[in-house]
Amino acid sequence: MAEFIYANVIVDISHEKVDRPFQYRIPDRLIGKVDVGSPVNIPFGRGNNVRKGYVVELTDEPQWEVDRIKEIIDIAGDTVSAEDLSMKLAAWMKRHYGSTMNAALRTVIPSGKKQNRQVHKYVSLRISQRDATEYYYECVRKKQTARERIIRELLDNPEDRIPYELVTSKLNVTSATLKSLSDKGIIRIDSEEYYRNPVAAETTRYGKKTLSDEQQNIVDSVIRDYDEGKRKTYLIHGITGSGKTEVYIALIDEIVKKGKQAIVLIPEIALTYQTLMRFYRHFGDRVSVVNSSMSPGEKFDQMERARTGDIDIIIGPRSALFTPFPNTGIIIIDEEHETTYKSETMPKYHARETAIELARLVPDGACVVLGSATPSLEAYYKAKSGEYELFELTKRLTGGTLPTVEIADLREELRKGNRSIFSLRLQELLDDRIKKGEQAMLFINRRGLAGFVSCRSCGHVFKCPHCDVSLSEHRGGRLVCHYCGYEEPVKKICPKCGSKFVSSFRAGTQQIEDEVKKFWPDARVLRMDADTTRTKGSYEKILSAFANKEADVLVGTQMIVKGHDFPNVTLVGVLAADMSLYASDYRASERTFQLLTQAAGRAGRGDRAGNVVIQSYQPDHYSIQTAAKQDYDAFYAEEIAYRDILRYPPISHMMSVQIQSRDEEEGMAFSNRLRALMEQQHIQNAVFIGPALATIGRINDVYRIAVYVKLDDYDGLILLKDVLEKYIKDLQDSGRLKTISVQFDFDPVNGF
């Protein structure tokens, strides 16, 4: 095969420029040395000024007359800049996950467009400590819980000015309440033009906390490895309340002292006020945060602060991984099992693997620390096999006790004549809590909304004989497997017990809210789901109202059980755990276990004991049983055995080739051609499934088709991806592929 002799180079790294590469000839002495992502010195413009650029594509086809194409001068020097790292990481992501280089660059390079200066507000006490204390007790007497919360926070931290955004979004205090307090002269609201940390406490007042023996062992082990030049990936498996955050802070403290920077990834939904303030109070104005609620200008300024060395630590969701620190020393991923760490747009990267690659690329290397009470099977499998180092935190250090978890058998409820969506036990407990003035949360996981079909008498679920996922009911009386395309007609009689109570299971938050009001007409009910949180601020408004005890029951989807701390909640009801258990997804059992474990953690966080009722048609299922016992190891042993038999990740790797076409027949024919092309590569032990319509087969009149490949060797999947990418690009360049698009998803986390 001919060597690539031309390189397409971008000169300025910014969103506006990545689509405008310039072509240069690679001199003979550099052929084979220049690669995608390489920094190169090039002659640029009419004056041939030497500029630094980055290679985004290699080709053997000239775009211009050959004698007009300038030549690369040389590969840029040995020093590695933040931009160099971004380019190398983008090139790795392009190859590892499949996408265009432009898409990868847009992912890793922060916006280069400077926005207008922002104004930030801070809240502080205007009155004396004594007067504030008197006012606090007045709020307690009048049950003004929002005012009580903010005054208590200001009394606890008299030296701090607390960022206005944190007060409204994380303390659930409304702007109207703050204005009223300001008008009364109780608090001061200061506004300042922005070029500083938007959410930093002003002083570093907290020194090191005394760690437990388990916590200190982790810190000592990681820092010892670091000092010896060992750069590893660590997994901290710590039960809820075991003090993982204190370990993170201690580790960051040691790494920052060495002149390095730290990246802390937290799922957006878990970015709680309490968690953030623990970092701010320890590290002061050397820490900052990015999140989706910040304006482009705010995000830009935080990236600039990182680039110029104004901060050492950044906290944020998945995108914070690409903060342009010059010398990252540690990357921490909290709640590493969360699916939000996987991107659903091209490139479909996973933050865990991408963080490990970034840690490998940075000068001197960095260590990666993963933490979770319910680790992903991928992380735990690698820890068990020795690829990651495993630490366990087994002792609960925070207040509150683990709640009592009960499982309600919905089959038994039916036999007793109870056809409501609430089991008798849940009705009893709800009635008790409402009478006592305590709060309850009822949530339903609607991930399996396509509707699995089951027998309400014996619990039998109709499954695919080839994939061990439930069949979903489609129009026309068909049950369909969304992984391999297997179909069978809907049966009206249960093949296991002969019952006629066979139906697809559907339920929604609106129905639950209506049922609560029917049973308890005087109960105050709030509902939180996609419908009630569409408008700006509605999410915070609902949480604020519930925190202020303006409702007895909060009904919602998964968003209500992640990252929230309501001390007055003493009951959590999980309605139809089966909705996630029988989603058309091989990860359904894992997600169910994680979800139920999280739900159990919402109850009894204050000084009163809590109860959890899990309602299920499959009460004996291992994910439900082990979640009720909080027994991760038992769940892992059972689940990994199934993954092994069926060759699903993490035992094997999986690539989803996702085809979209406005014409179903054309799309299916093209999908078959792609499968045939992959089979022609004769890669040993590769298993091909499909093509078949995706879980949602058509969106906006576009048909969605998937071909799956299972293979133990990830590099083998990359080879197949490369073959398909070249085939597709040749068709696109020749104008023969205009109506079909193709994407790749490696080890998919969410269904297609």
Side-chain angles (χ1 to χ4, degrees):
M1 191 172 80
E3 294 276 9
F4 294 119
I5 56 173
Y6 300 102
N8 293 331
V9 178
I10 56 169
V11 179
D12 293 317
I13 295 186
S14 71
H15 279 293
E16 290 72 37
K17 302 291 184 182
V18 295
D19 284 327
R20 295 178 55 198
F22 299 89
Q23 191 168 78
Y24 288 82
R25 182 188 298 108
I26 303 173
D28 291 344
R29 60 190 168 80
L30 294 180
I31 287 178
K33 297 178 181 178
V34 172
D35 201 354
V36 173
S38 294
V40 291
N41 292 321
I42 50 171
F44 190 76
R46 291 186 178 178
N48 285 331
N49 295 317
V50 177
R51 297 279 294 274
K52 185 177 181 179
Y54 296 92
V55 177
V56 293
E57 186 180 16
L58 299 175
T59 180
D60 53 9
E61 295 180 7
Q63 293 177 347
W64 313 96
E65 295 174 22
V66 172
D67 57 358
R68 291 179 57 196
I69 299 177
K70 298 176 183 178
E71 196 171 83
I72 290 173
I73 298 171
D74 55 28
I75 296 173
D78 295 332
T79 57
V80 180
S81 67
E83 288 79 11
D84 294 343
L85 287 176
S86 295
M87 287 300 307
K88 290 178 180 179
L89 193 60
W92 178 86
M93 290 168 69
K94 174 189 181 299
R95 179 173 186 272
H96 208 72
Y97 296 107
S99 82
T100 64
M101 189 63 180
N102 287 341
L105 282 171
R106 286 195 180 93
T107 300
V108 305
I109 297 172
S111 172
K113 191 173 183 180
K114 190 167 185 176
Q115 308 286 329
N116 293 331
R117 283 284 177 93
Q118 301 292 308
V119 172
H120 274 289
K121 298 179 184 177
Y122 297 87
V123 178
S124 59
L125 277 177
R126 177 171 281 172
I127 57 179
S128 68
Q129 289 277 101
R130 181 176 176 178
D131 290 344
T133 302
E134 288 180 6
Y135 184 73
Y136 169 77
Y137 286 115
E138 181 184 328
C139 293
V140 173
R141 284 195 303 275
K142 293 181 178 179
K143 297 186 177 178
Q144 296 172 327
T145 53
R147 296 181 184 216
E148 173 190 330
R149 258 200 321 280
I150 179 59
I151 300 300
R152 175 79 270 165
E153 190 66 31
L154 290 169
L155 281 169
D156 286 346
N157 307 286
E159 298 172 34
D160 289 348
R161 294 186 309 159
I162 301 178
Y164 189 94
E165 296 92 334
L166 278 185
V167 175
T168 54
S169 65
K170 301 303 180 186
L171 271 185
N172 299 317
V173 179
T174 64
S175 300
T177 299
L178 292 174
K179 185 177 185 303
S180 175
L181 289 170
S182 177
D183 291 344
K184 288 182 176 182
I186 292 166
I187 65 169
R188 176 185 290 111
I189 300 176
D190 298 315
S191 297
E192 294 180 358
E193 270 209 350
Y194 185 104
Y195 198 69
R196 61 185 63 196
N197 194 337
V199 279
E202 284 197 330
T203 54
T204 305
R205 298 186 297 102
Y206 293 172
K208 277 189 176 180
K209 281 203 172 183
T210 302
L211 301 180
S212 70
D213 290 343
E214 284 186 331
Q215 292 173 314
Q216 192 63 53
N217 174 57
I218 296 173
V219 175
D220 291 344
S221 298
V222 173
I223 298 304
R224 185 169 55 248
D225 284 344
Y226 195 92
D227 288 340
E228 292 174 359
K230 298 172 184 174
R231 303 293 183 261
K232 298 181 183 177
T233 299
Y234 307 89
L235 172 63
I236 302 174
H237 177 206
I239 64 168
T240 307
S242 58
K244 292 188 291 293
T245 302
E246 296 304 331
V247 174
Y248 303 154
I249 289 173
L251 286 169
I252 292 169
D253 213 17
E254 294 295 330
I255 296 294
V256 168
K257 285 177 184 174
K258 301 177 188 297
K260 307 290 185 178
Q261 295 87 44
I263 297 171
V264 182
L265 302 189
I266 300 177
E268 180 103 31
I269 205 162
L271 277 167
T272 63
Y273 175 87
Q274 291 91 344
T275 300
L276 293 178
M277 287 306 285
R278 283 158 82 179
F279 283 95
Y280 300 145
R281 287 176 188 145
H282 189 91
F283 296 106
D285 61 4
R286 302 301 297 173
V287 62
S288 190
V289 64
V290 289
N291 58 55
S292 62
S293 66
M294 292 169 68
S295 70
E298 287 175 311
K299 291 178 182 176
F300 172 83
D301 280 355
Q302 297 322 297
M303 296 301 104
E304 282 300 296
R305 296 182 71 216
R307 199 189 312 275
T308 58
D310 191 43
I311 56 174
D312 301 314
I313 304 145
I314 195 82
I315 304 173
R318 188 177 67 223
S319 59
L321 183 61
F322 308 114
T323 301
F325 277 135
N327 208 356
T328 302
I330 187 169
I331 302 170
I332 291 169
I333 306 182
D334 191 33
E335 306 293 351
E336 67 80 25
H337 65 276
E338 284 286 349
T339 57
T340 53
Y341 286 128
K342 180 72 186 285
S343 169
E344 290 305 306
T345 57
M346 297 296 285
K348 297 189 176 185
Y349 71 95
H350 198 295
R352 183 177 55 240
E353 274 71 47
T354 309
I356 292 169
E357 177 63 16
L358 175 61
R360 190 186 68 81
L361 289 172
V362 297
D364 298 329
C367 59
V368 178
V369 178
L370 314 172
S372 176
T374 55
S376 64
L377 256 72
E378 282 80 0
Y380 204 68
Y381 179 76
K382 289 184 176 181
K384 285 288 191 181
S385 65
E387 189 172 336
Y388 302 165
E389 186 163 335
L390 178 64
F391 293 111
E392 305 269 1
L393 287 174
T394 60
K395 295 172 183 172
R396 191 178 177 86
L397 303 180
T398 56
T401 56
L402 289 173
T404 302
V405 183
E406 303 171 60
I407 302 172
D409 185 345
L410 293 180
R411 300 169 302 180
E412 192 60 36
E413 296 292 320
L414 187 66
R415 293 186 194 108
K416 291 177 181 176
N418 177 21
R419 297 190 178 225
S420 90
I421 58 178
F422 304 127
S423 65
L424 296 175
R425 178 58 173 158
L426 184 54
Q427 290 177 36
E428 176 190 333
L429 289 171
L430 261 174
D431 192 63
D432 174 70
R433 298 308 194 266
I434 291 171
K435 285 176 180 174
K436 286 181 178 176
E438 296 174 9
Q439 291 177 297
M441 298 170 76
L442 301 175
F443 92 93
I444 187 163
N445 178 23
R446 298 192 297 181
R447 191 177 292 276
L449 198 59
F452 69 89
V453 178
S454 67
C455 170
R456 294 193 66 187
S457 292
C458 72
H460 173 73
V461 173
F462 290 80
K463 284 186 162 187
C464 172
H466 305 295
C467 299
D468 196 33
V469 294
S470 62
L471 297 172
S472 293
E473 185 175 8
H474 283 238
R475 289 176 183 170
R478 297 177 301 131
L479 294 178
V480 179
C481 171
H482 294 139
Y483 275 83
C484 70
Y486 171 84
E487 290 187 20
E488 65 179 50
V490 172
K491 295 180 175 64
K492 301 194 176 179
I493 304 292
C494 174
K496 190 172 180 182
C497 73
S499 168
K500 294 181 181 179
F501 291 106
V502 173
S503 62
S504 59
F505 194 96
R506 295 174 187 271
T509 50
Q510 180 72 62
Q511 179 190 356
I512 296 165
E513 181 184 13
D514 293 343
E515 285 289 301
V516 173
K517 289 177 177 176
K518 187 172 82 175
F519 275 85
W520 298 277
D522 296 330
R524 300 166 301 166
V525 185
L526 281 171
R527 177 162 58 96
M528 179 180 277
D529 55 22
D531 294 327
T532 61
T533 54
R534 281 179 180 162
T535 58
K536 187 175 181 180
S538 55
Y539 183 89
E540 289 79 10
K541 189 176 179 182
I542 294 169
L543 289 177
S544 176
F546 192 61
N548 292 339
K549 302 178 186 176
E550 295 171 22
D552 305 299
V553 181
L554 177 62
V555 175
T557 50
Q558 288 186 56
M559 63 178 74
I560 72 171
V561 298
K562 293 183 179 180
H564 306 304
D565 189 353
F566 300 114
N568 200 47
V569 171
T570 57
L571 174 64
V572 172
V574 183
L575 305 182
D578 313 74
M579 290 289 277
S580 62
L581 188 57
Y582 293 113
S584 296
D585 185 353
Y586 71 90
R587 297 178 187 267
S589 296
E590 179 181 7
R591 290 210 177 127
T592 299
F593 175 83
Q594 291 165 346
L595 192 63
L596 298 184
T597 303
Q598 286 175 336
R602 297 308 105 198
R605 296 178 79 88
D607 53 8
R608 283 166 289 195
N611 290 81
V612 178
V613 178
I614 298 171
Q615 298 188 167
S616 173
Y617 285 104
Q618 291 283 309
D620 297 325
H621 193 281
Y622 62 93
S623 67
I624 293 173
Q625 287 288 330
T626 53
K629 296 172 186 171
Q630 306 280 292
D631 191 343
Y632 179 86
D633 288 331
F635 167 75
Y636 174 83
E638 188 91 18
E639 179 67 14
I640 203 71
Y642 286 116
R643 300 278 183 97
D644 194 10
I645 294 167
L646 296 165
R647 291 188 64 192
Y648 279 126
I651 300 297
S652 186
H653 291 289
M654 188 174 179
M655 177 174 70
S656 170
V657 184
Q658 302 167 351
I659 301 97
Q660 300 188 48
S661 171
R662 290 200 168 272
D663 184 295
E664 184 178 9
E665 286 189 16
E666 183 184 13
M668 196 61 77
F670 186 72
S671 302
N672 276 304
R673 287 212 302 279
L674 294 185
R675 171 172 172 160
L677 186 59
M678 288 190 287
E679 288 178 326
Q680 288 167 16
Q681 307 309 308
H682 301 296
I683 293 184
Q684 195 171 3
N685 298 324
V687 176
F688 298 92
I689 303 169
L693 281 175
T695 305
I696 303 175
R698 184 175 63 166
I699 297 177
N700 291 333
D701 291 324
V702 175
Y703 288 91
R704 307 163 81 243
I705 302 161
V707 180
Y708 295 94
V709 189
K710 294 179 187 177
L711 187 63
D712 293 350
D713 179 24
Y714 195 101
D715 288 337
L717 291 180
I718 290 177
L719 188 151
L720 292 176
K721 181 265 300 180
D722 291 345
V723 168
L724 295 189
E725 278 186 332
K726 185 177 186 311
Y727 175 69
I728 292 163
K729 188 176 186 302
D730 289 345
L731 289 176
Q732 289 172 335
D733 291 346
S734 65
R736 288 180 290 161
L737 192 66
K738 296 179 179 178
T739 60
I740 295 176
S741 66
V742 181
Q743 294 186 348
F744 300 92
D745 193 358
F746 287 78
D747 290 343
V749 166
N750 294 308
F752 172 61

